[in-house]
């Protein structure tokens, strides 16, 4: 399965030396996201298997961008990947299907923001923690059939335990703006 991932050039250089790219906990953008990332890790264990030794958090990639199976458009996507002037790479990778878990990028934000995924949305309804976390599993329905809507600009993300050097098919260099 072809995926695309945007990484700091330093992580890519390290991958060339070690043979794998793995998530580094110290680069989690916001500490408040940590529990959401741990939830995603637990889902990955259930759905694609345990992480290799020493891995806690997934690496993110793109499966589908704005409704099409295409690489992210770096003219718009090059922003906010580190401080202005940071060297980044867009890697095109060919990953075995059993190594990636696909999920809806937009609905992933419900998990990040600790909201239940319910339709129609009603903020007055109180959900138990178990109900809320069960609702989050809707993000894995990448056809979004659970809400009855057709998503014309659906973006699908992929999470992987690691990216192996031999999976890299193309490397494109960019500077964060």
């Amino acid at each position: 399965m072809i995926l695309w991932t945007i990484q700091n050039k330093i992580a890519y250089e390290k991958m060339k030396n070690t043979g794998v790219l793995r998530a580094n906990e110290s680069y989690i953008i916001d500490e408040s996201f940590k529990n959401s990332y741990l939830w995603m890790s637990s889902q990955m264990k259930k759905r694609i298997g345990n992480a290799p030794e020493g891995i806690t958090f997934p690496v993110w990639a793109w499966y589908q961008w704005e409704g099409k199976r295409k690489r992210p458009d770096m003219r718009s996507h090059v922003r906010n990947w580190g401080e202005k002037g940071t060297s980044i790479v867009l890697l095109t990778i060919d990953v075995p299907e059993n190594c990636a878990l696909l999920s809806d990028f937009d609905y992933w934000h419900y998990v990040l923001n600790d909201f239940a995924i319910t339709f129609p949305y009603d903020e007055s309804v109180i959900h138990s923690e178990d109900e809320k976390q069960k609702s989050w599993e809707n993000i894995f329905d990448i056809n979004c059939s659970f809400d009855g809507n057709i998503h014309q600009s659906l973006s699908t993300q992929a999470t992987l335990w690691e990216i192996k050097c031999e999976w890299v098919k193309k490397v494109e260099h960019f500077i964060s703006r």
Side-chain angles (χ1 to χ4, degrees):
M1 153 181 5
I2 298 297
L3 302 173
W4 299 272
T5 184
I6 302 165
Q7 300 293 330
N8 187 293
K9 185 179 177 187
I10 294 169
Y12 171 66
E13 295 297 332
K14 182 178 179 183
M15 178 175 113
K16 289 191 320 188
N17 291 328
T18 64
V20 294
L21 187 148
R22 295 177 170 170
N24 183 331
E25 182 177 349
S26 65
Y27 291 109
I28 292 177
I29 295 171
D30 187 323
E31 188 67 25
S32 67
F33 294 162
K34 196 171 188 175
N35 285 335
S36 299
Y37 287 24
L38 289 169
W39 177 84
M40 180 63 85
S41 294
S42 73
Q43 292 297 308
M44 290 174 67
K45 288 176 189 172
K46 282 176 30 178
R47 296 166 188 266
I48 63 171
N50 289 328
E53 182 77 26
I55 297 178
T56 303
F57 296 102
V59 176
W60 257 258
W62 292 106
Y63 172 80
Q64 178 171 293
W65 179 250
E66 295 179 339
K68 295 187 174 55
R69 277 288 279 136
K70 63 178 183 174
R71 73 188 258 302
D73 182 346
M74 294 303 287
R75 289 172 292 183
S76 62
H77 216 72
V78 77
R79 294 181 184 359
N80 303 320
W81 283 93
E83 293 180 31
K84 183 178 180 177
T86 300
S87 295
I88 56 176
V89 293
L90 173 64
L91 304 176
T92 301
I93 54 178
D94 191 359
V95 177
E97 288 191 25
N98 64 340
C99 292
L101 178 60
L102 302 180
S103 60
D104 182 294
F105 174 69
D106 291 323
Y107 289 120
W108 163 243
H109 289 82
Y110 281 75
V111 179
L112 284 176
N113 291 299
D114 201 30
F115 297 140
I117 300 175
T118 57
F119 298 98
Y121 182 73
D122 181 352
E123 64 183 48
S124 68
V125 176
I126 305 294
H127 298 278
S128 72
E129 189 65 24
D130 287 343
E131 289 172 326
K132 178 178 62 180
Q133 289 195 19
K134 182 68 177 161
S135 81
W136 292 347
E137 293 185 28
N138 285 313
I139 71 172
F140 303 114
D141 177 355
I142 60 169
N143 296 316
C144 297
S145 59
F146 59 89
D147 72 355
N149 293 322
I150 295 173
H151 298 263
Q152 299 299 327
S153 62
L154 178 68
S155 293
T156 306
Q157 62 187 6
T159 49
L160 310 99
W161 290 122
E162 62 188 0
I163 297 172
K164 296 181 179 182
C165 215
E166 63 262 23
W167 295 348
V168 177
K169 300 302 175 198
K170 185 176 181 181
V171 180
E172 298 174 77
H173 296 265
F174 296 91
I175 302 295
S176 185
R177 298 188 290 195

